[in-house]
Amino acid sequence: MAKIDSEILTKETTIFNHSGNKITTVDREIEIIAKFDEPLVIVLGSVLDDGECDALIQLSKDRLERSKTGSSREVNDIRTSSGVFLTDTNNEIVLQIEKRLASIIDIPIDHGEGLHIINYLPGQEYKAHFDYFASTSKAASNNRIATFVLYLNDVEEGGQTYFPNLNLSVFPKKGMAVYFEYFYNDVQLNELTLHGGAPVTQGEKWIATQWIRRQKISNNI
Ligand SMILES: O=C(O)CCC(=O)C(=O)O
Ligand SMILES: [Fe+2]
């Protein structure tokens, strides 16, 4: 018993702060399906309805470009998918989803980079990486602190989001999401959030990612 008590006492504070199995957001009730405690990884159900998933795919499908990574935004083998940022759109659905995600973690909407849609075809993947920028990078002055990955379709086979240091995989399911944070004082906890998108082996995979920054985003990030 004593050991368990001391473990609870030493747990670091998280941004996501819900107990129970439901979150009431501005416009929708969201289910907490699974939780890994430290670092915090949460699987969320019914984040988006089917129509919203379809709308995000429709908005993006003619605008995809080969994905780039890092603050230098170079094309490389780490991410072989195609993607587009839906930041330039005044679309009501996009805005409503961004507000919903902001309300889950109670962080103002302008800390979010904007929905980034990614499409993976068979064989395409996103190799294991950290979402936060290296401390030497310019972008680290307002670094990322948390990520939502929203699944926009059901994938026939493959495409799971995997956390190799946690032995954890989340399988894509339309409308569901995985959320994780890496804003711990303990650097080792942040490093445990190493993750990737496994190769899609059958069908295709569509996701929307929302990366959250520590401070509000200005134009010169
Ligand atoms: O495709 C995935 O499941 C992971 C995506 C991801 O890691 C990201 O967008 O940062
Ligand atoms: Fe990532």
Side-chain angles (χ1 to χ4, degrees), residues 79 116 118 120 126 129 131 144 147 149 151 159-162 180 195-198 205 207 209 211:
R79 189 159 67 188
H116 182 244
I118 307 181
Y120 301 82
Y126 193 170
H129 63 278
D131 281 354
R144 292 174 176 164
T147 302
V149 176
Y151 302 107
Q160 60 273 27
T161 308
Y162 64 97
F180 52 99
H195 64 280
K205 172 183 172 191
I207 59 167
T209 301
W211 291 293

mmCIF file with all atom_site columns, all heavy atoms in Angstrom, residues 79 116 118 120 126 129 131 144 147 149 151 159-162 180 195-198 205 207 209 211, ligand 1:
data_model
loop_
_atom_site.group_PDB
_atom_site.id
_atom_site.type_symbol
_atom_site.label_atom_id
_atom_site.label_alt_id
_atom_site.label_comp_id
_atom_site.label_asym_id
_atom_site.label_entity_id
_atom_site.label_seq_id
_atom_site.pdbx_PDB_ins_code
_atom_site.Cartn_x
_atom_site.Cartn_y
_atom_site.Cartn_z
_atom_site.occupancy
_atom_site.B_iso_or_equiv
_atom_site.pdbx_formal_charge
_atom_site.auth_seq_id
_atom_site.auth_comp_id
_atom_site.auth_asym_id
_atom_site.auth_atom_id
_atom_site.pdbx_PDB_model_num
ATOM   1   N N   . ARG A 1 79  ? 8.815   10.251 -43.267 1.00 0.00 ? 79  ARG A N   1
ATOM   2   C CA  . ARG A 1 79  ? 7.373   10.243 -43.512 1.00 0.00 ? 79  ARG A CA  1
ATOM   3   C C   . ARG A 1 79  ? 7.141   10.123 -45.009 1.00 0.00 ? 79  ARG A C   1
ATOM   4   O O   . ARG A 1 79  ? 7.466   11.039 -45.755 1.00 0.00 ? 79  ARG A O   1
ATOM   5   C CB  . ARG A 1 79  ? 6.743   11.517 -42.949 1.00 0.00 ? 79  ARG A CB  1
ATOM   6   C CG  . ARG A 1 79  ? 5.238   11.478 -42.969 1.00 0.00 ? 79  ARG A CG  1
ATOM   7   C CD  . ARG A 1 79  ? 4.638   12.455 -41.975 1.00 0.00 ? 79  ARG A CD  1
ATOM   8   N NE  . ARG A 1 79  ? 4.900   13.831 -42.355 1.00 0.00 ? 79  ARG A NE  1
ATOM   9   C CZ  . ARG A 1 79  ? 4.626   14.875 -41.577 1.00 0.00 ? 79  ARG A CZ  1
ATOM   10  N NH1 . ARG A 1 79  ? 4.115   14.699 -40.392 1.00 0.00 ? 79  ARG A NH1 1
ATOM   11  N NH2 . ARG A 1 79  ? 4.876   16.080 -42.001 1.00 0.00 ? 79  ARG A NH2 1
ATOM   12  N N   . HIS A 1 116 ? -3.713  19.089 -39.510 1.00 0.00 ? 116 HIS A N   1
ATOM   13  C CA  . HIS A 1 116 ? -2.826  18.617 -40.577 1.00 0.00 ? 116 HIS A CA  1
ATOM   14  C C   . HIS A 1 116 ? -3.340  17.257 -41.018 1.00 0.00 ? 116 HIS A C   1
ATOM   15  O O   . HIS A 1 116 ? -3.379  16.308 -40.228 1.00 0.00 ? 116 HIS A O   1
ATOM   16  C CB  . HIS A 1 116 ? -1.387  18.515 -40.044 1.00 0.00 ? 116 HIS A CB  1
ATOM   17  C CG  . HIS A 1 116 ? -0.415  18.093 -41.076 1.00 0.00 ? 116 HIS A CG  1
ATOM   18  N ND1 . HIS A 1 116 ? 0.288   16.922 -41.006 1.00 0.00 ? 116 HIS A ND1 1
ATOM   19  C CD2 . HIS A 1 116 ? -0.053  18.680 -42.237 1.00 0.00 ? 116 HIS A CD2 1
ATOM   20  C CE1 . HIS A 1 116 ? 1.058   16.819 -42.081 1.00 0.00 ? 116 HIS A CE1 1
ATOM   21  N NE2 . HIS A 1 116 ? 0.875   17.872 -42.837 1.00 0.00 ? 116 HIS A NE2 1
ATOM   22  N N   . ILE A 1 118 ? -3.222  13.840 -43.124 1.00 0.00 ? 118 ILE A N   1
ATOM   23  C CA  . ILE A 1 118 ? -2.238  12.960 -43.779 1.00 0.00 ? 118 ILE A CA  1
ATOM   24  C C   . ILE A 1 118 ? -2.956  11.772 -44.395 1.00 0.00 ? 118 ILE A C   1
ATOM   25  O O   . ILE A 1 118 ? -3.868  11.196 -43.798 1.00 0.00 ? 118 ILE A O   1
ATOM   26  C CB  . ILE A 1 118 ? -1.170  12.423 -42.796 1.00 0.00 ? 118 ILE A CB  1
ATOM   27  C CG1 . ILE A 1 118 ? -0.504  13.560 -42.022 1.00 0.00 ? 118 ILE A CG1 1
ATOM   28  C CG2 . ILE A 1 118 ? -0.101  11.630 -43.537 1.00 0.00 ? 118 ILE A CG2 1
ATOM   29  C CD1 . ILE A 1 118 ? 0.574   13.062 -41.057 1.00 0.00 ? 118 ILE A CD1 1
ATOM   30  N N   . TYR A 1 120 ? -2.066  8.017  -46.054 1.00 0.00 ? 120 TYR A N   1
ATOM   31  C CA  . TYR A 1 120 ? -1.073  6.961  -46.264 1.00 0.00 ? 120 TYR A CA  1
ATOM   32  C C   . TYR A 1 120 ? -1.674  5.926  -47.212 1.00 0.00 ? 120 TYR A C   1
ATOM   33  O O   . TYR A 1 120 ? -2.764  5.420  -46.953 1.00 0.00 ? 120 TYR A O   1
ATOM   34  C CB  . TYR A 1 120 ? -0.751  6.228  -44.971 1.00 0.00 ? 120 TYR A CB  1
ATOM   35  C CG  . TYR A 1 120 ? -0.208  7.031  -43.820 1.00 0.00 ? 120 TYR A CG  1
ATOM   36  C CD1 . TYR A 1 120 ? -1.063  7.738  -42.979 1.00 0.00 ? 120 TYR A CD1 1
ATOM   37  C CD2 . TYR A 1 120 ? 1.150   7.031  -43.527 1.00 0.00 ? 120 TYR A CD2 1
ATOM   38  C CE1 . TYR A 1 120 ? -0.564  8.432  -41.877 1.00 0.00 ? 120 TYR A CE1 1
ATOM   39  C CE2 . TYR A 1 120 ? 1.655   7.724  -42.420 1.00 0.00 ? 120 TYR A CE2 1
ATOM   40  C CZ  . TYR A 1 120 ? 0.787   8.424  -41.615 1.00 0.00 ? 120 TYR A CZ  1
ATOM   41  O OH  . TYR A 1 120 ? 1.276   9.102  -40.528 1.00 0.00 ? 120 TYR A OH  1
ATOM   42  N N   . TYR A 1 126 ? 4.985   6.498  -41.238 1.00 0.00 ? 126 TYR A N   1
ATOM   43  C CA  . TYR A 1 126 ? 5.662   7.609  -40.577 1.00 0.00 ? 126 TYR A CA  1
ATOM   44  C C   . TYR A 1 126 ? 6.531   6.945  -39.514 1.00 0.00 ? 126 TYR A C   1
ATOM   45  O O   . TYR A 1 126 ? 6.029   6.408  -38.529 1.00 0.00 ? 126 TYR A O   1
ATOM   46  C CB  . TYR A 1 126 ? 4.620   8.544  -39.964 1.00 0.00 ? 126 TYR A CB  1
ATOM   47  C CG  . TYR A 1 126 ? 5.106   9.893  -39.510 1.00 0.00 ? 126 TYR A CG  1
ATOM   48  C CD1 . TYR A 1 126 ? 4.188   10.865 -39.139 1.00 0.00 ? 126 TYR A CD1 1
ATOM   49  C CD2 . TYR A 1 126 ? 6.456   10.218 -39.457 1.00 0.00 ? 126 TYR A CD2 1
ATOM   50  C CE1 . TYR A 1 126 ? 4.602   12.118 -38.712 1.00 0.00 ? 126 TYR A CE1 1
ATOM   51  C CE2 . TYR A 1 126 ? 6.875   11.462 -39.043 1.00 0.00 ? 126 TYR A CE2 1
ATOM   52  C CZ  . TYR A 1 126 ? 5.941   12.414 -38.659 1.00 0.00 ? 126 TYR A CZ  1
ATOM   53  O OH  . TYR A 1 126 ? 6.351   13.643 -38.237 1.00 0.00 ? 126 TYR A OH  1
ATOM   54  N N   . HIS A 1 129 ? 9.280   8.769  -34.245 1.00 0.00 ? 129 HIS A N   1
ATOM   55  C CA  . HIS A 1 129 ? 9.787   10.139 -34.105 1.00 0.00 ? 129 HIS A CA  1
ATOM   56  C C   . HIS A 1 129 ? 9.215   10.769 -32.834 1.00 0.00 ? 129 HIS A C   1
ATOM   57  O O   . HIS A 1 129 ? 8.292   10.231 -32.225 1.00 0.00 ? 129 HIS A O   1
ATOM   58  C CB  . HIS A 1 129 ? 9.368   10.976 -35.322 1.00 0.00 ? 129 HIS A CB  1
ATOM   59  C CG  . HIS A 1 129 ? 7.871   11.101 -35.439 1.00 0.00 ? 129 HIS A CG  1
ATOM   60  N ND1 . HIS A 1 129 ? 7.081   10.118 -36.002 1.00 0.00 ? 129 HIS A ND1 1
ATOM   61  C CD2 . HIS A 1 129 ? 7.002   12.056 -35.006 1.00 0.00 ? 129 HIS A CD2 1
ATOM   62  C CE1 . HIS A 1 129 ? 5.815   10.477 -35.946 1.00 0.00 ? 129 HIS A CE1 1
ATOM   63  N NE2 . HIS A 1 129 ? 5.730   11.646 -35.332 1.00 0.00 ? 129 HIS A NE2 1
ATOM   64  N N   . ASP A 1 131 ? 7.318   14.341 -31.498 1.00 0.00 ? 131 ASP A N   1
ATOM   65  C CA  . ASP A 1 131 ? 6.617   15.470 -32.099 1.00 0.00 ? 131 ASP A CA  1
ATOM   66  C C   . ASP A 1 131 ? 7.231   16.803 -31.677 1.00 0.00 ? 131 ASP A C   1
ATOM   67  O O   . ASP A 1 131 ? 7.071   17.808 -32.366 1.00 0.00 ? 131 ASP A O   1
ATOM   68  C CB  . ASP A 1 131 ? 5.126   15.435 -31.741 1.00 0.00 ? 131 ASP A CB  1
ATOM   69  C CG  . ASP A 1 131 ? 4.368   14.440 -32.612 1.00 0.00 ? 131 ASP A CG  1
ATOM   70  O OD1 . ASP A 1 131 ? 4.974   13.870 -33.548 1.00 0.00 ? 131 ASP A OD1 1
ATOM   71  O OD2 . ASP A 1 131 ? 3.167   14.227 -32.357 1.00 0.00 ? 131 ASP A OD2 1
ATOM   72  N N   . ARG A 1 144 ? 6.181   22.231 -29.143 1.00 0.00 ? 144 ARG A N   1
ATOM   73  C CA  . ARG A 1 144 ? 4.959   21.439 -29.014 1.00 0.00 ? 144 ARG A CA  1
ATOM   74  C C   . ARG A 1 144 ? 4.939   20.768 -27.642 1.00 0.00 ? 144 ARG A C   1
ATOM   75  O O   . ARG A 1 144 ? 5.992   20.397 -27.118 1.00 0.00 ? 144 ARG A O   1
ATOM   76  C CB  . ARG A 1 144 ? 4.910   20.381 -30.109 1.00 0.00 ? 144 ARG A CB  1
ATOM   77  C CG  . ARG A 1 144 ? 4.738   20.965 -31.501 1.00 0.00 ? 144 ARG A CG  1
ATOM   78  C CD  . ARG A 1 144 ? 4.857   19.868 -32.537 1.00 0.00 ? 144 ARG A CD  1
ATOM   79  N NE  . ARG A 1 144 ? 4.610   20.363 -33.882 1.00 0.00 ? 144 ARG A NE  1
ATOM   80  C CZ  . ARG A 1 144 ? 4.952   19.688 -34.980 1.00 0.00 ? 144 ARG A CZ  1
ATOM   81  N NH1 . ARG A 1 144 ? 5.568   18.510 -34.884 1.00 0.00 ? 144 ARG A NH1 1
ATOM   82  N NH2 . ARG A 1 144 ? 4.688   20.188 -36.165 1.00 0.00 ? 144 ARG A NH2 1
ATOM   83  N N   . THR A 1 147 ? -0.227  16.217 -28.572 1.00 0.00 ? 147 THR A N   1
ATOM   84  C CA  . THR A 1 147 ? -0.674  15.863 -29.929 1.00 0.00 ? 147 THR A CA  1
ATOM   85  C C   . THR A 1 147 ? -2.016  15.135 -29.883 1.00 0.00 ? 147 THR A C   1
ATOM   86  O O   . THR A 1 147 ? -2.219  14.268 -29.031 1.00 0.00 ? 147 THR A O   1
ATOM   87  C CB  . THR A 1 147 ? 0.339   14.893 -30.588 1.00 0.00 ? 147 THR A CB  1
ATOM   88  O OG1 . THR A 1 147 ? 1.631   15.488 -30.624 1.00 0.00 ? 147 THR A OG1 1
ATOM   89  C CG2 . THR A 1 147 ? -0.082  14.516 -32.007 1.00 0.00 ? 147 THR A CG2 1
ATOM   90  N N   . VAL A 1 149 ? -4.044  12.768 -32.589 1.00 0.00 ? 149 VAL A N   1
ATOM   91  C CA  . VAL A 1 149 ? -4.114  12.124 -33.907 1.00 0.00 ? 149 VAL A CA  1
ATOM   92  C C   . VAL A 1 149 ? -5.545  11.599 -34.052 1.00 0.00 ? 149 VAL A C   1
ATOM   93  O O   . VAL A 1 149 ? -5.980  10.741 -33.282 1.00 0.00 ? 149 VAL A O   1
ATOM   94  C CB  . VAL A 1 149 ? -3.105  10.963 -34.042 1.00 0.00 ? 149 VAL A CB  1
ATOM   95  C CG1 . VAL A 1 149 ? -3.287  10.249 -35.393 1.00 0.00 ? 149 VAL A CG1 1
ATOM   96  C CG2 . VAL A 1 149 ? -1.666  11.462 -33.906 1.00 0.00 ? 149 VAL A CG2 1
ATOM   97  N N   . TYR A 1 151 ? -8.426  9.708  -36.263 1.00 0.00 ? 151 TYR A N   1
ATOM   98  C CA  . TYR A 1 151 ? -8.550  8.741  -37.353 1.00 0.00 ? 151 TYR A CA  1
ATOM   99  C C   . TYR A 1 151 ? -9.797  9.057  -38.177 1.00 0.00 ? 151 TYR A C   1
ATOM   100 O O   . TYR A 1 151 ? -10.899 9.124  -37.636 1.00 0.00 ? 151 TYR A O   1
ATOM   101 C CB  . TYR A 1 151 ? -8.621  7.318  -36.792 1.00 0.00 ? 151 TYR A CB  1
ATOM   102 C CG  . TYR A 1 151 ? -7.406  6.965  -35.956 1.00 0.00 ? 151 TYR A CG  1
ATOM   103 C CD1 . TYR A 1 151 ? -7.492  6.867  -34.568 1.00 0.00 ? 151 TYR A CD1 1
ATOM   104 C CD2 . TYR A 1 151 ? -6.162  6.776  -36.558 1.00 0.00 ? 151 TYR A CD2 1
ATOM   105 C CE1 . TYR A 1 151 ? -6.376  6.571  -33.801 1.00 0.00 ? 151 TYR A CE1 1
ATOM   106 C CE2 . TYR A 1 151 ? -5.036  6.479  -35.793 1.00 0.00 ? 151 TYR A CE2 1
ATOM   107 C CZ  . TYR A 1 151 ? -5.148  6.380  -34.418 1.00 0.00 ? 151 TYR A CZ  1
ATOM   108 O OH  . TYR A 1 151 ? -4.037  6.099  -33.659 1.00 0.00 ? 151 TYR A OH  1
ATOM   109 N N   . GLY A 1 159 ? -1.189  0.357  -40.293 1.00 0.00 ? 159 GLY A N   1
ATOM   110 C CA  . GLY A 1 159 ? -1.437  1.768  -40.030 1.00 0.00 ? 159 GLY A CA  1
ATOM   111 C C   . GLY A 1 159 ? -1.633  2.128  -38.573 1.00 0.00 ? 159 GLY A C   1
ATOM   112 O O   . GLY A 1 159 ? -2.037  3.242  -38.248 1.00 0.00 ? 159 GLY A O   1
ATOM   113 N N   . GLN A 1 160 ? -1.307  1.219  -37.650 1.00 0.00 ? 160 GLN A N   1
ATOM   114 C CA  . GLN A 1 160 ? -1.499  1.554  -36.233 1.00 0.00 ? 160 GLN A CA  1
ATOM   115 C C   . GLN A 1 160 ? -0.480  2.612  -35.787 1.00 0.00 ? 160 GLN A C   1
ATOM   116 O O   . GLN A 1 160 ? 0.635   2.667  -36.291 1.00 0.00 ? 160 GLN A O   1
ATOM   117 C CB  . GLN A 1 160 ? -1.432  0.306  -35.338 1.00 0.00 ? 160 GLN A CB  1
ATOM   118 C CG  . GLN A 1 160 ? -0.150  -0.461 -35.363 1.00 0.00 ? 160 GLN A CG  1
ATOM   119 C CD  . GLN A 1 160 ? -0.097  -1.500 -36.482 1.00 0.00 ? 160 GLN A CD  1
ATOM   120 O OE1 . GLN A 1 160 ? -0.740  -1.357 -37.519 1.00 0.00 ? 160 GLN A OE1 1
ATOM   121 N NE2 . GLN A 1 160 ? 0.706   -2.526 -36.285 1.00 0.00 ? 160 GLN A NE2 1
ATOM   122 N N   . THR A 1 161 ? -0.875  3.409  -34.828 1.00 0.00 ? 161 THR A N   1
ATOM   123 C CA  . THR A 1 161 ? 0.040   4.363  -34.203 1.00 0.00 ? 161 THR A CA  1
ATOM   124 C C   . THR A 1 161 ? 0.743   3.606  -33.086 1.00 0.00 ? 161 THR A C   1
ATOM   125 O O   . THR A 1 161 ? 0.085   3.113  -32.176 1.00 0.00 ? 161 THR A O   1
ATOM   126 C CB  . THR A 1 161 ? -0.750  5.555  -33.621 1.00 0.00 ? 161 THR A CB  1
ATOM   127 O OG1 . THR A 1 161 ? -1.598  6.084  -34.644 1.00 0.00 ? 161 THR A OG1 1
ATOM   128 C CG2 . THR A 1 161 ? 0.187   6.650  -33.125 1.00 0.00 ? 161 THR A CG2 1
ATOM   129 N N   . TYR A 1 162 ? 2.056   3.485  -33.185 1.00 0.00 ? 162 TYR A N   1
ATOM   130 C CA  . TYR A 1 162 ? 2.760   2.648  -32.205 1.00 0.00 ? 162 TYR A CA  1
ATOM   131 C C   . TYR A 1 162 ? 3.740   3.478  -31.374 1.00 0.00 ? 162 TYR A C   1
ATOM   132 O O   . TYR A 1 162 ? 4.313   4.461  -31.850 1.00 0.00 ? 162 TYR A O   1
ATOM   133 C CB  . TYR A 1 162 ? 3.472   1.471  -32.886 1.00 0.00 ? 162 TYR A CB  1
ATOM   134 C CG  . TYR A 1 162 ? 4.570   1.891  -33.838 1.00 0.00 ? 162 TYR A CG  1
ATOM   135 C CD1 . TYR A 1 162 ? 5.903   1.912  -33.438 1.00 0.00 ? 162 TYR A CD1 1
ATOM   136 C CD2 . TYR A 1 162 ? 4.268   2.273  -35.137 1.00 0.00 ? 162 TYR A CD2 1
ATOM   137 C CE1 . TYR A 1 162 ? 6.920   2.318  -34.307 1.00 0.00 ? 162 TYR A CE1 1
ATOM   138 C CE2 . TYR A 1 162 ? 5.282   2.675  -36.014 1.00 0.00 ? 162 TYR A CE2 1
ATOM   139 C CZ  . TYR A 1 162 ? 6.593   2.691  -35.582 1.00 0.00 ? 162 TYR A CZ  1
ATOM   140 O OH  . TYR A 1 162 ? 7.578   3.108  -36.435 1.00 0.00 ? 162 TYR A OH  1
ATOM   141 N N   . PHE A 1 180 ? -1.671  12.382 -26.731 1.00 0.00 ? 180 PHE A N   1
ATOM   142 C CA  . PHE A 1 180 ? -0.550  12.154 -25.804 1.00 0.00 ? 180 PHE A CA  1
ATOM   143 C C   . PHE A 1 180 ? 0.176   13.457 -25.559 1.00 0.00 ? 180 PHE A C   1
ATOM   144 O O   . PHE A 1 180 ? 0.105   14.400 -26.346 1.00 0.00 ? 180 PHE A O   1
ATOM   145 C CB  . PHE A 1 180 ? 0.407   11.060 -26.316 1.00 0.00 ? 180 PHE A CB  1
ATOM   146 C CG  . PHE A 1 180 ? 0.893   11.255 -27.719 1.00 0.00 ? 180 PHE A CG  1
ATOM   147 C CD1 . PHE A 1 180 ? 2.134   11.813 -27.971 1.00 0.00 ? 180 PHE A CD1 1
ATOM   148 C CD2 . PHE A 1 180 ? 0.110   10.871 -28.804 1.00 0.00 ? 180 PHE A CD2 1
ATOM   149 C CE1 . PHE A 1 180 ? 2.594   11.990 -29.271 1.00 0.00 ? 180 PHE A CE1 1
ATOM   150 C CE2 . PHE A 1 180 ? 0.558   11.044 -30.111 1.00 0.00 ? 180 PHE A CE2 1
ATOM   151 C CZ  . PHE A 1 180 ? 1.795   11.604 -30.340 1.00 0.00 ? 180 PHE A CZ  1
ATOM   152 N N   . HIS A 1 195 ? 7.012   7.711  -31.174 1.00 0.00 ? 195 HIS A N   1
ATOM   153 C CA  . HIS A 1 195 ? 5.867   7.026  -31.794 1.00 0.00 ? 195 HIS A CA  1
ATOM   154 C C   . HIS A 1 195 ? 5.975   7.115  -33.309 1.00 0.00 ? 195 HIS A C   1
ATOM   155 O O   . HIS A 1 195 ? 6.726   7.949  -33.838 1.00 0.00 ? 195 HIS A O   1
ATOM   156 C CB  . HIS A 1 195 ? 4.548   7.666  -31.337 1.00 0.00 ? 195 HIS A CB  1
ATOM   157 C CG  . HIS A 1 195 ? 4.439   9.088  -31.799 1.00 0.00 ? 195 HIS A CG  1
ATOM   158 N ND1 . HIS A 1 195 ? 5.084   10.119 -31.146 1.00 0.00 ? 195 HIS A ND1 1
ATOM   159 C CD2 . HIS A 1 195 ? 3.840   9.638  -32.879 1.00 0.00 ? 195 HIS A CD2 1
ATOM   160 C CE1 . HIS A 1 195 ? 4.867   11.247 -31.799 1.00 0.00 ? 195 HIS A CE1 1
ATOM   161 N NE2 . HIS A 1 195 ? 4.115   10.981 -32.861 1.00 0.00 ? 195 HIS A NE2 1
ATOM   162 N N   . GLY A 1 196 ? 5.202   6.297  -33.983 1.00 0.00 ? 196 GLY A N   1
ATOM   163 C CA  . GLY A 1 196 ? 5.186   6.334  -35.445 1.00 0.00 ? 196 GLY A CA  1
ATOM   164 C C   . GLY A 1 196 ? 3.861   5.810  -35.971 1.00 0.00 ? 196 GLY A C   1
ATOM   165 O O   . GLY A 1 196 ? 3.033   5.306  -35.209 1.00 0.00 ? 196 GLY A O   1
ATOM   166 N N   . GLY A 1 197 ? 3.680   5.960  -37.265 1.00 0.00 ? 197 GLY A N   1
ATOM   167 C CA  . GLY A 1 197 ? 2.517   5.372  -37.949 1.00 0.00 ? 197 GLY A CA  1
ATOM   168 C C   . GLY A 1 197 ? 3.038   4.177  -38.734 1.00 0.00 ? 197 GLY A C   1
ATOM   169 O O   . GLY A 1 197 ? 3.827   4.344  -39.667 1.00 0.00 ? 197 GLY A O   1
ATOM   170 N N   . ALA A 1 198 ? 2.628   2.976  -38.352 1.00 0.00 ? 198 ALA A N   1
ATOM   171 C CA  . ALA A 1 198 ? 3.119   1.762  -39.017 1.00 0.00 ? 198 ALA A CA  1
ATOM   172 C C   . ALA A 1 198 ? 2.653   1.733  -40.479 1.00 0.00 ? 198 ALA A C   1
ATOM   173 O O   . ALA A 1 198 ? 1.626   2.329  -40.812 1.00 0.00 ? 198 ALA A O   1
ATOM   174 C CB  . ALA A 1 198 ? 2.599   0.532  -38.276 1.00 0.00 ? 198 ALA A CB  1
ATOM   175 N N   . LYS A 1 205 ? -5.112  5.022  -45.250 1.00 0.00 ? 205 LYS A N   1
ATOM   176 C CA  . LYS A 1 205 ? -5.310  5.597  -43.915 1.00 0.00 ? 205 LYS A CA  1
ATOM   177 C C   . LYS A 1 205 ? -5.338  7.111  -44.034 1.00 0.00 ? 205 LYS A C   1
ATOM   178 O O   . LYS A 1 205 ? -4.478  7.694  -44.696 1.00 0.00 ? 205 LYS A O   1
ATOM   179 C CB  . LYS A 1 205 ? -4.156  5.159  -43.009 1.00 0.00 ? 205 LYS A CB  1
ATOM   180 C CG  . LYS A 1 205 ? -4.101  5.817  -41.629 1.00 0.00 ? 205 LYS A CG  1
ATOM   181 C CD  . LYS A 1 205 ? -2.854  5.341  -40.876 1.00 0.00 ? 205 LYS A CD  1
ATOM   182 C CE  . LYS A 1 205 ? -2.606  6.056  -39.584 1.00 0.00 ? 205 LYS A CE  1
ATOM   183 N NZ  . LYS A 1 205 ? -1.275  5.742  -39.027 1.00 0.00 ? 205 LYS A NZ  1
ATOM   184 N N   . ILE A 1 207 ? -5.618  10.547 -41.525 1.00 0.00 ? 207 ILE A N   1
ATOM   185 C CA  . ILE A 1 207 ? -5.658  11.086 -40.165 1.00 0.00 ? 207 ILE A CA  1
ATOM   186 C C   . ILE A 1 207 ? -5.652  12.619 -40.207 1.00 0.00 ? 207 ILE A C   1
ATOM   187 O O   . ILE A 1 207 ? -5.263  13.218 -41.221 1.00 0.00 ? 207 ILE A O   1
ATOM   188 C CB  . ILE A 1 207 ? -4.459  10.635 -39.296 1.00 0.00 ? 207 ILE A CB  1
ATOM   189 C CG1 . ILE A 1 207 ? -3.124  11.058 -39.925 1.00 0.00 ? 207 ILE A CG1 1
ATOM   190 C CG2 . ILE A 1 207 ? -4.488  9.153  -39.009 1.00 0.00 ? 207 ILE A CG2 1
ATOM   191 C CD1 . ILE A 1 207 ? -1.938  10.923 -38.972 1.00 0.00 ? 207 ILE A CD1 1
ATOM   192 N N   . THR A 1 209 ? -3.987  15.495 -37.679 1.00 0.00 ? 209 THR A N   1
ATOM   193 C CA  . THR A 1 209 ? -3.176  15.718 -36.485 1.00 0.00 ? 209 THR A CA  1
ATOM   194 C C   . THR A 1 209 ? -3.332  17.167 -36.043 1.00 0.00 ? 209 THR A C   1
ATOM   195 O O   . THR A 1 209 ? -3.335  18.082 -36.877 1.00 0.00 ? 209 THR A O   1
ATOM   196 C CB  . THR A 1 209 ? -1.686  15.438 -36.795 1.00 0.00 ? 209 THR A CB  1
ATOM   197 O OG1 . THR A 1 209 ? -1.547  14.085 -37.228 1.00 0.00 ? 209 THR A OG1 1
ATOM   198 C CG2 . THR A 1 209 ? -0.822  15.642 -35.563 1.00 0.00 ? 209 THR A CG2 1
ATOM   199 N N   . TRP A 1 211 ? -1.227  19.479 -33.494 1.00 0.00 ? 211 TRP A N   1
ATOM   200 C CA  . TRP A 1 211 ? -0.097  19.635 -32.571 1.00 0.00 ? 211 TRP A CA  1
ATOM   201 C C   . TRP A 1 211 ? -0.344  20.893 -31.746 1.00 0.00 ? 211 TRP A C   1
ATOM   202 O O   . TRP A 1 211 ? -0.661  21.955 -32.295 1.00 0.00 ? 211 TRP A O   1
ATOM   203 C CB  . TRP A 1 211 ? 1.215   19.774 -33.337 1.00 0.00 ? 211 TRP A CB  1
ATOM   204 C CG  . TRP A 1 211 ? 1.658   18.527 -34.042 1.00 0.00 ? 211 TRP A CG  1
ATOM   205 C CD1 . TRP A 1 211 ? 2.052   17.360 -33.471 1.00 0.00 ? 211 TRP A CD1 1
ATOM   206 C CD2 . TRP A 1 211 ? 1.787   18.338 -35.462 1.00 0.00 ? 211 TRP A CD2 1
ATOM   207 N NE1 . TRP A 1 211 ? 2.420   16.451 -34.441 1.00 0.00 ? 211 TRP A NE1 1
ATOM   208 C CE2 . TRP A 1 211 ? 2.272   17.030 -35.662 1.00 0.00 ? 211 TRP A CE2 1
ATOM   209 C CE3 . TRP A 1 211 ? 1.544   19.159 -36.578 1.00 0.00 ? 211 TRP A CE3 1
ATOM   210 C CZ2 . TRP A 1 211 ? 2.506   16.514 -36.940 1.00 0.00 ? 211 TRP A CZ2 1
ATOM   211 C CZ3 . TRP A 1 211 ? 1.778   18.641 -37.838 1.00 0.00 ? 211 TRP A CZ3 1
ATOM   212 C CH2 . TRP A 1 211 ? 2.260   17.337 -38.008 1.00 0.00 ? 211 TRP A CH2 1
HETATM 213 O O1  . LIG B 2 .   ? 0.032   8.172  -38.493 1.00 0.00 ? 1   LIG B O1  1
HETATM 214 C C1  . LIG B 2 .   ? 0.063   8.046  -37.280 1.00 0.00 ? 1   LIG B C1  1
HETATM 215 O O2  . LIG B 2 .   ? -0.586  7.163  -36.727 1.00 0.00 ? 1   LIG B O2  1
HETATM 216 C C2  . LIG B 2 .   ? 0.925   8.945  -36.443 1.00 0.00 ? 1   LIG B C2  1
HETATM 217 C C3  . LIG B 2 .   ? 0.994   10.348 -36.966 1.00 0.00 ? 1   LIG B C3  1
HETATM 218 C C4  . LIG B 2 .   ? 1.979   11.201 -36.237 1.00 0.00 ? 1   LIG B C4  1
HETATM 219 O O3  . LIG B 2 .   ? 2.787   10.733 -35.500 1.00 0.00 ? 1   LIG B O3  1
HETATM 220 C C5  . LIG B 2 .   ? 1.975   12.660 -36.421 1.00 0.00 ? 1   LIG B C5  1
HETATM 221 O O4  . LIG B 2 .   ? 1.179   13.166 -37.235 1.00 0.00 ? 1   LIG B O4  1
HETATM 222 O O5  . LIG B 2 .   ? 2.765   13.340 -35.725 1.00 0.00 ? 1   LIG B O5  1
#
